[in-house]
Amino acid sequence: MANFGTWLYTRRKGRLIGKDADGRCYYESTGPARQGGGVERAERWVIYLKGEDPSAVPPEWWGWLHHTLDAPIPLEERKPWQLPHEPNLTGTAQAYRPPGSEYKTGQHPPATGDYESWSPEA
């Protein structure tokens, strides 16, 4: 649970809708709440596992959480392009380093001689 306030709010105003394969819990408010533009609809939220960021929400729950679907997509109906979550590795030693990156080898790649500087007179 994120903190005591979230726990208390969830106990008082939320009802459990379901859990995903990794154990995250998804809730919906028991009554309508005023959203932007004067629209009244139920609030929806997720309780993340410790240390997770919002990109961890699986595709079958993302649409429900953002009010584009009335129910989460069943696992059997997932599309092949809906891949499992991979954490964002930016800033870590496992981050993607393209060929020629100084971060990958620790050395600047040698010049190839195919560069010709621009001259305004030419």
Side-chain angles (χ1 to χ4, degrees), residues 3-84:
N3 59 36
F4 180 72
T6 303
W7 176 83
L8 185 61
Y9 183 83
T10 300
R11 291 280 300 194
R12 292 186 69 229
K13 304 227 177 203
R15 68 183 170 96
L16 180 66
I17 299 299
K19 291 184 177 187
D20 63 20
D22 294 325
R24 288 176 217 91
C25 297
Y26 295 85
Y27 293 90
E28 188 170 59
S29 61
T30 54
R34 186 169 296 275
Q35 305 288 319
V39 177
E40 287 193 15
R41 62 183 180 187
E43 279 184 288
R44 294 176 176 174
W45 66 93
V46 58
I47 303 297
Y48 297 103
L49 303 175
K50 187 173 182 169
E52 284 188 323
D53 63 291
S55 70
V57 173
E60 60 268 14
W61 281 96
W62 192 93
W64 175 84
L65 195 59
H66 292 87
H67 293 277
T68 58
L69 300 172
D70 292 329
I73 301 168
L75 282 174
E76 311 81 59
E77 294 182 25
R78 280 185 71 164
K79 307 290 186 228
W81 47 264
Q82 292 174 316
L83 301 174

